[in-house]
Amino acid sequence: MRQPTIHLVFKTHLDIGFTDHAERVRRQYHEVFIPQALTTAEHFYREDPERPAFVWTTGAWLIWDHLTTRSAAEVERLERAVRNGLIRWHALPFTTHSELMSPALFRAGLSYSQMLDARFGFQTHAAKMTDVPGHTLGIVPLMAAAGIRFFHIGVNTASPVPSFPPLSRWRAPDGSELVVMYEDSYGGVQFPDGLSDGLGFAHTHDNIGPQTVSQTTEVYRALRHDHPDADIRAATLETYGAILWERRETLPVVDMEPGDSWIHGAGADPMKMARFRSLQRLYDAFEMEGLTETRAAFGRDLAMLAEHTCGVDIKTYLRDDLAWDRPAFEAARKADYRFVYSEASWAEQRGYIDKAVENLAGEDRTRADDALADAAPPQLRSTQSLTQATTFTVAGWSGELDPQTGDIIRLTAPDGRILSDDARIGYRHESYDADDVAAHMDTYLTHRAEWAILDHDKPGLSNARTARAADFAPQYLGLENVGDRVVIHHEMPLEAHRHLGAPKTTELHVWGDGQSLHLSLVLREKPANRMPEAGFLAFALGGFGQWSYLKTGLWHEAGRTAENGGGQLQAIFAARSRHTNGTEVELTPLDAALVAPIGQPFMPYSKQPSSFDRGIRFNLYNNKWGTNFPMWWEGDMHARFQLSVKPSR
């Protein structure tokens, strides 16, 4: 066997935010970190131009952003380093929650690398995601079509790694595949079985910046100590990806969803998510109609909404363990700079929507404005015309209501088919206490380092006077007919609204158009609430037990996810199920992305794939754990769904 070789990739984990507000982090990379990478790289290039000891790799967005926004001198310096092989991008723009992205938007993210490749005459075949534990199979054909062959996933060390082989061929139904390497860290040194070539990462952590000359030297000294017989050389992901691609036939094939156990963060700011999904549908239409320069720029900026950083680091910037109960919390929001600074970071992330729309003009801008208007809840109307009826008919559809909660408990389609006479379509607000948070940490964390506990815990919650583990159902107020729709009105329990974050009132708007029933759940006057909470709209339809999900262009069996993955909560574009009598239903969520099985508790983490035989429930909002996700939201929102029925076969 020949001398072992470590192909060493120098990389910094990019969080567009987390260590500070996103724009400050962005400027830090352009003004400090990229110049530092160039200084280190240029030093070692002068030592040995044929084999420089430092080559820096990063996501394509950062390189593109530097080249398109910095001074001529800075651009020239970076271009020279790229041509000398000292700086290299990988094929993805940054780490994303890929389940949130349509195929069109994922392609928009890939376009950063493609523009750089065209500029410099390269062809990028390798990609990396760091931190986020799992990604959807739907990205495999998209990456393969872009020429990507090697994909490295480095999981946050406190999070479970989905049960994938360390090295495999991840294959989509159309036969396209990637060589995937999974690691339980951002990346260390790995020698796959039978290979004398190993992949190593000299990874600096979240927004720390690249190594200096002295730090680079220390990296080599440490590696030579651990691997005294190895030839250690600075490399790119391209180099090692090519080696693995040549031996791909020897690798096991995997064709399932790993699941993203961080995807709950998509529900932390539900109004941002609704606006994002509305604009994403518009971008999908733009791609089908034909992309112009401004439409393409709109898509690239919109992809930032799926980037995995949603604000500042909670354990660093919020850092309060007292202000949990409502009076103390409201006072802290007004007077405590830690609360103000954290909220400002969440507002900054919402600003990505405005930045994306600013690319558009004329009719395209009007369509974007209309899409955003559709994402806003309807105005509250007078409810003086409410009746206490417990049945309704709309566009040939008929339903029966629970007289206590106002849930839909029986649903009949226009052709007379009873979709379910033991249905339960209804909203619930859940609150959690310190024991629930502890149950999450006990089932999820892979180690108990202090930073990991602080990322996931709610420090001080155990001392909150009003914290409570409870499930709150609404009280039925009545029904009204408004034009072509029926509006079902509810009121939430006073305790839930006053102390635990529930909205004051809710409405379920119902209307139809032939084979489809449209539902819009409107939440009114939801107060900000720092204590852990979640809201759900459940669809329990008797006889519809086996569900499939549409995720980034591919349909999957909902329960066919990897062990240790994120199958109990997934981001989807549609769900469908077939009744035992052959009737098929399809549910399309327009504003909310997250869905979970009915009957499975939300807080504890499940290492096993979930069962969906009791139905599904859409998670409308949650603040399950900290890290960098928004910890509260307030106001009115709506979540729209389309329920379509297909003929029996």
Side-chain angles (χ1 to χ4, degrees):
M1 187 174 182
R2 69 179 180 82
Q3 180 187 20
T5 300
I6 296 176
H7 300 267
L8 183 61
V9 176
F10 288 86
K11 191 176 182 298
T12 295
H13 177 57
L14 171 65
D15 285 309
I16 308 177
F18 190 63
T19 54
D20 207 334
H21 285 182
E23 181 55 29
R24 294 188 182 199
V25 168
R26 175 178 171 269
R27 290 202 308 267
Q28 187 177 35
Y29 272 88
H30 291 319
E31 297 170 5
V32 180
F33 293 161
I34 289 178
Q36 177 61 63
L38 293 171
T39 295
T40 302
E42 289 163 353
H43 176 92
F44 288 107
Y45 183 75
R46 293 186 185 103
E47 285 189 4
D48 187 350
E50 298 301 317
R51 187 172 163 175
F54 182 89
V55 177
W56 198 55
T57 295
T58 189
W61 168 81
L62 186 62
I63 301 300
W64 177 89
D65 194 43
H66 196 85
L67 293 174
T68 56
T69 63
R70 304 304 293 180
S71 70
E74 291 171 294
V75 168
E76 182 182 2
R77 187 184 183 196
L78 180 56
E79 287 180 327
R80 184 169 58 251
V82 170
R83 292 192 173 99
N84 286 335
L86 305 178
I87 302 291
R88 191 66 168 96
W89 56 89
H90 63 80
L92 294 172
F94 31 65
T95 294
T96 62
H97 291 288
S98 58
E99 291 186 3
L100 299 178
M101 305 177 80
S102 69
L105 195 67
F106 193 84
R107 283 190 286 266
L110 292 172
S111 70
Y112 287 107
S113 172
Q114 292 163 345
M115 289 186 295
L116 292 175
D117 283 357
R119 180 170 180 165
F120 291 96
F122 293 167
Q123 189 169 0
T124 300
H125 298 294
K128 180 161 173 48
M129 296 269 207
T130 308
D131 234 6
V132 175
H135 300 275
T136 180
L137 182 64
I139 68 176
V140 170
L142 304 175
M143 293 172 72
I148 301 168
R149 298 171 177 172
F150 175 53
F151 184 27
H152 184 277
I153 304 175
V155 178
N156 183 287
T157 59
S159 298
V161 179
S163 296
F164 268 44
L167 198 61
S168 67
R169 283 184 287 165
W170 196 18
R171 180 180 291 169
D174 66 356
S176 59
E177 62 184 24
L178 306 173
V179 173
V180 172
M181 178 179 281
Y182 245 115
E183 287 197 57
D184 59 358
S185 68
Y186 286 179
V189 176
Q190 297 289 332
F191 279 93
D193 291 343
L195 272 184
S196 58
D197 288 279
L199 176 63
F201 284 94
H203 231 302
T204 61
H205 285 263
D206 309 350
N207 297 339
I208 296 298
Q211 290 90 346
T212 63
V213 172
S214 61
Q215 290 168 334
T216 301
T217 301
E218 289 301 319
V219 166
Y220 278 93
R221 285 180 179 144
L223 281 174
R224 288 183 183 119
H225 182 272
D226 294 338
H227 304 274
D229 299 328
D231 175 21
I232 305 169
R233 57 181 64 192
T236 68
L237 289 169
E238 296 294 311
T239 306
Y240 198 71
I243 294 171
L244 293 182
W245 186 253
E246 289 300 316
R247 70 184 303 268
R248 66 188 181 279
E249 296 297 334
T250 67
L251 303 178
V253 173
V254 179
D255 63 353
M256 70 187 323
E257 287 283 280
D260 176 1
S261 60
W262 285 20
I263 200 63
H264 57 81
D269 193 338
M271 290 180 281
K272 180 182 78 173
M273 182 55 54
R275 288 161 61 86
F276 165 60
R277 284 172 72 90
S278 191
L279 290 178
Q280 182 168 229
R281 287 191 293 275
L282 177 62
Y283 181 73
D284 294 347
F286 284 165
E287 189 191 62
M288 290 183 64
E289 296 165 5
L291 291 178
T292 62
E293 184 176 340
T294 57
R295 287 177 169 186
F298 166 69
R300 289 194 299 270
D301 283 343
L302 195 62
M304 189 67 77
L305 272 298
E307 198 269 334
H308 80 303
T309 316
C310 298
V312 294
D313 178 15
I314 298 302
K315 66 181 178 294
T316 299
Y317 286 93
L318 193 54
R319 226 176 50 256
D320 169 82
D321 59 2
L322 299 175
W324 290 101
D325 295 307
R326 179 61 50 73
F329 169 59
E330 293 296 348
R333 288 185 71 194
K334 295 176 182 177
D336 191 324
Y337 185 62
R338 296 172 298 180
F339 284 69
V340 173
Y341 201 81
S342 297
E343 287 198 64
S345 77
W346 309 333
E348 180 187 39
Q349 297 283 325
R350 297 181 198 115
Y352 291 154
I353 292 172
D354 299 326
K355 183 176 184 294
V357 170
E358 286 171 2
N359 289 289
L360 303 175
E363 181 185 351
D364 285 353
R365 177 58 184 265
T366 299
R367 291 170 68 180
D369 291 340
D370 290 345
L372 292 176
D374 286 343
Q379 294 294 314
L380 179 63
R381 296 168 42 87
S382 170
T383 57
Q384 295 179 355
S385 60
L386 293 186
T387 72
Q388 294 303 303
T390 56
T391 61
F392 68 85
T393 301
V394 58
W397 292 79
S398 61
E400 182 180 337
L401 306 179
D402 184 313
Q404 302 301 317
T405 64
D407 293 349
I408 298 175
I409 57 174
R410 181 183 175 93
L411 196 57
T412 304
D415 62 5
R417 280 179 295 167
I418 298 175
L419 294 190
S420 181
D421 57 6
D422 58 351
R424 182 67 63 172
I425 301 175
Y427 164 74
R428 297 294 186 270
H429 175 83
E430 295 184 3
S431 65
Y432 311 102
D433 61 15
D435 289 339
D436 293 316
V437 176
H440 160 69
M441 292 195 295
D442 289 344
T443 51
Y444 186 77
L445 292 178
T446 59
H447 62 73
R448 308 286 293 195
E450 184 178 26
W451 66 264
I453 293 173
L454 292 175
D455 268 351
H456 292 254
D457 198 6
K458 308 278 188 183
L461 179 63
S462 58
N463 297 319
R465 179 177 54 84
T466 54
R468 180 182 168 193
D471 181 346
F472 295 98
Q475 178 183 353
Y476 178 52
L477 294 179
L479 180 149
E480 66 173 336
N481 291 284
V482 182
D484 64 347
R485 67 180 59 191
V486 166
V487 182
I488 306 163
H489 290 264
H490 318 81
E491 183 177 56
M492 293 301 292
L494 183 60
E495 175 197 8
H497 174 64
R498 181 175 294 170
H499 299 299
L500 297 169
K504 184 177 182 180
T505 61
T506 73
E507 306 147 28
L508 186 63
H509 295 236
V510 184
W511 68 102
D513 61 0
Q515 292 299 313
S516 295
L517 187 70
H518 301 266
L519 304 102
S520 174
L521 178 68
V522 183
L523 309 183
R524 303 282 187 192
E525 298 182 58
K526 186 200 181 299
N529 175 43
R530 187 184 174 198
M531 290 186 285
E533 64 177 8
F536 297 90
L537 182 63
F539 288 85
L541 304 175
F544 292 92
Q546 300 299 317
W547 288 87
S548 298
Y549 290 160
L550 179 63
K551 301 171 65 175
T552 314
L554 293 183
W555 284 98
H556 312 267
E557 295 178 27
R560 191 171 182 268
T561 56
E563 292 186 8
N564 275 342
Q568 75 185 97
L569 189 67
Q570 301 180 52
I572 69 170
F573 291 86
R576 66 188 180 193
S577 181
R578 186 180 300 278
H579 195 278
T580 52
N581 65 14
T583 300
E584 185 174 299
V585 296
E586 185 168 314
L587 261 170
T588 303
L590 299 181
D591 304 293
L594 303 180
V595 66
I598 289 176
Q600 186 169 32
F602 184 62
M603 289 298 284
Y605 172 67
S606 175
K607 295 179 172 62
Q608 300 301 317
S610 298
S611 170
F612 295 82
D613 56 353
R614 294 176 57 185
I616 60 177
R617 58 178 185 160
F618 287 88
N619 177 244
L620 309 177
Y621 55 86
N622 77 82
N623 56 358
K624 187 171 182 177
W625 52 272
T627 308
N628 62 178
F629 299 116
M631 291 288 90
W632 56 84
W633 69 280
E634 61 189 337
D636 296 353
M637 66 159 283
H638 73 157
R640 295 166 293 166
F641 301 86
Q642 177 176 306
L643 176 63
S644 300
V645 182
K646 298 183 179 180
S648 301
R649 287 188 289 178

